[in-house]
Amino acid sequence: MFQKMLIDGKLVGKDSKKKRIKVINPSTEKTFAFVPKGTKKHINQAVAAAKKAFPAWAATSQKKRQDIVNKMADVVADNAEMLARLMVKEQGKPMPEAMGEMAWTEGYLRHYATLSAKGRMIQNDDDFKIETRRVPLGVVAGICPWNFPVLVPFWKIGPALVAGNTIVVKPAPSTPVTILKILELCNKFVPAGVINAVTDENDLGPLLTDHPDVAKVSFTGSSETGKKIMAAAAGTVKRVTLELGGNDPAIVMPDVDVKATAAQIYGGAFLNAGQVCLAIKRLYVHEKIYDEMCDELVKLAKGAIVGDGLQQGSTIGPIANAEQFKKVKALLKRAKKDGKVLTGGVVKSKKGYFIKPVIVRDVKDGDDIVDKEQFGPILPVIKFKDIAKVGKAANASDYGLGASVWGKDVKKATRVAEKLQSGSVWVNQALNIGPHIPMAGCKASGLGVEQSTEGLEEYTQIQVLNIAR
Ligand code: NAD
């Protein structure tokens, strides 16, 4: 399979050995598709096309823009199964999760199609009429990671388009196929140049962040890359939205129903084989229930069916690419020295980047597996005694994306939650996100907001219209 890029309403790229990139299936380690090796010329063409399309798109009525975003939701819904199968091959997640990502994407797009960025009246009297307007920015660059190859690009495309901007999308190098396929299908009704997509070998991102005709960069990915993007954007004073890494703590109070809570925590930690920015990545459990909680988690982890996402019954797919597999394996090796691995580990018997869910106990703050973002199926469980101190431990991280507190006494749990330095804080649940809920990171987890009206506003500029009467 060879899937082309989209530039100025045309499918671009030659299927020749020198000009294509392999896309590897992480379950088989075999190449299953090719995409073009994008170049500087393609980036410049894509930005030029987006710049050319911008005035007409910005002048298109809000209703028409919303209709087009709704039609994109139709494309995702009508082709969900075909697209999900494609995504499993490039990213690995089990088919039910891939179908879930399609349903999520549809839902987010439908919600964006109901939004409009509104200004406000500041003064309206005999002397002045002063109001703010929310005007689009121009060309947006959407730079994306590989863990949600369809959802995350549409988190950018949806609001960018509704607000009246045009966009150049750069998928992650290892997961470009499904998003390009969707954009090809949408090309029938999206005006030329409004959405463009360029594929790369992890080398073209800086050309977008440096480009003088790009007004804003919306980035989702690691904190390390986010810092580089922020620095690069300074040269042309680009707007940036950065949704970065996380090391989300979950704090479990002694009064919980251990079995029920363990099941929810397991779900929040191991979705997408742990490759979720907002996954539970450090679990702090009160000493009274520590052993019992570890035992319950082990039971759940042992029940996981690790395998190719296309195989019926698989509950955990592979790590999405070789580079990440290497990183997670190194962390696991270290964790074995620092703590006690109760279950799970690398599956050596078959091809593919498979790791059976790992539960590791007797680890502490300062250990790599606790302090670093593992972004894989390993859950470190840390014992705590003092509720006042555990909040401090949870906050002693450069990250601040999400956090959760679990307890029967909801008031008490909420008091602990309020003190956590995180953009999202959940009580008795995990990963409850949605298009109507703003999502923002603290500290090194990001800058700005995605989703909801607040997220939409980030794709606009305030213009003050001040009229003397
Ligand atoms: P990454 O930072 O390595 O890459 C993300 C994207 O940035 C890729 O498209 C890559 O090609 C591009 N890129 C790399 N260097 C660049 C540069 N100098 N300039 C411009 N672009 C550049 O991240 P990843 O490994 O693909 O994704 C995993 C990370 O993403 C994890 O840390 C995870 O927590 C984070 N993430 C965050 C969220 C969120 O909403 N906060 C969501 C998903 C993933």
Side-chain angles (χ1 to χ4, degrees), residues 161-436:
L161 263 57
V162 166
N165 305 279
T166 55
I167 190 164
V168 178
V169 177
K170 199 200 79 56
S174 61
T175 55
V177 180
T178 319
I179 182 67
L180 287 180
K181 174 53 83 187
I182 301 176
L183 296 182
E184 179 188 334
L185 296 171
C186 294
N187 194 34
K188 292 190 185 97
F189 55 84
V190 177
V194 170
I195 307 176
N196 308 272
V198 180
T199 44
D200 75 336
E201 284 184 308
N202 214 21
D203 54 342
L204 300 183
L207 299 178
L208 283 170
T209 53
D210 277 349
H211 203 295
D213 290 334
V214 170
K216 174 191 170 83
V217 180
S218 175
F219 171 74
T220 303
S222 63
S223 298
E224 211 175 280
T225 308
K227 287 174 197 169
K228 287 185 198 157
I229 287 179
M230 200 169 164
T236 44
V237 197
K238 287 185 197 352
R239 277 65 186 144
V240 288
T241 302
L242 305 173
E243 293 290 349
L244 309 178
N247 192 12
D248 293 13
I251 298 173
V252 187
M253 310 288 261
D255 63 347
V256 293
D257 171 338
V258 175
K259 196 171 175 178
T261 306
Q264 280 183 278
I265 285 174
Y266 180 83
F270 292 102
L271 179 77
N272 202 15
Q275 301 161 113
V276 179
C277 53
L278 284 158
I280 294 172
K281 295 182 181 138
R282 300 178 274 161
L283 182 63
Y284 292 90
V285 179
H286 192 271
E287 61 176 6
K288 269 195 190 159
I289 52 162
Y290 184 80
D291 291 342
E292 204 188 330
M293 178 60 80
C294 288
D295 291 348
E296 285 301 329
L297 289 167
V298 167
K299 272 189 219 158
L300 291 160
K302 283 192 167 159
I305 300 168
V306 179
D308 188 324
L310 288 178
Q311 215 171 292
Q312 204 165 3
S314 294
T315 58
I316 298 266
I319 301 293
N321 54 66
E323 201 184 322
Q324 185 63 18
F325 188 46
K326 207 171 136 196
K327 270 192 211 163
V328 178
K329 280 196 296 186
L331 270 175
L332 179 56
K333 203 170 161 195
R334 181 79 225 177
K336 280 181 183 161
K337 288 195 182 126
D338 291 334
K340 187 173 175 203
V341 170
L342 297 174
T343 182
V346 178
V347 179
K348 294 193 178 129
S349 55
K350 56 179 167 186
K351 276 258 171 204
Y353 312 134
F354 294 106
I355 296 182
K356 234 191 149 186
V358 176
I359 307 294
V360 50
R361 61 170 287 165
D362 302 335
V363 278
K364 56 189 183 314
D365 294 307
D367 293 344
D368 275 2
I369 195 61
V370 178
D371 287 4
K372 293 192 174 163
E373 183 189 32
Q374 67 273 50
F375 221 61
I378 309 176
L379 184 62
V381 192
I382 309 120
K383 193 188 282 184
F384 79 87
K385 203 181 196 167
D386 184 341
I387 291 166
K389 280 189 189 153
V390 74
K392 278 194 189 139
N395 285 338
S397 167
D398 288 341
Y399 293 114
L401 196 59
S404 56
V405 183
W406 306 74
K408 248 190 207 137
D409 183 339
V410 175
K411 271 194 188 151
K412 202 169 174 184
T414 305
R415 277 201 301 276
V416 176
E418 282 168 352
K419 293 206 176 86
L420 297 179
Q421 296 162 351
S422 291
S424 301
V425 191
W426 291 289
V427 174
N428 291 329
Q429 55 174 343
L431 278 176
N432 180 6
I433 58 169
H436 56 303

Side-chain angles (χ1 to χ4, degrees), residues 1-19:
M1 170 181 192
F2 182 74
Q3 182 63 48
K4 293 185 178 184
M5 305 183 284
L6 179 66
I7 299 176
D8 203 11
K10 291 178 209 73
L11 297 176
V12 174
K14 277 205 186 94
D15 187 5
S16 77
K17 262 194 180 168
K18 276 195 181 155
K19 294 188 173 171

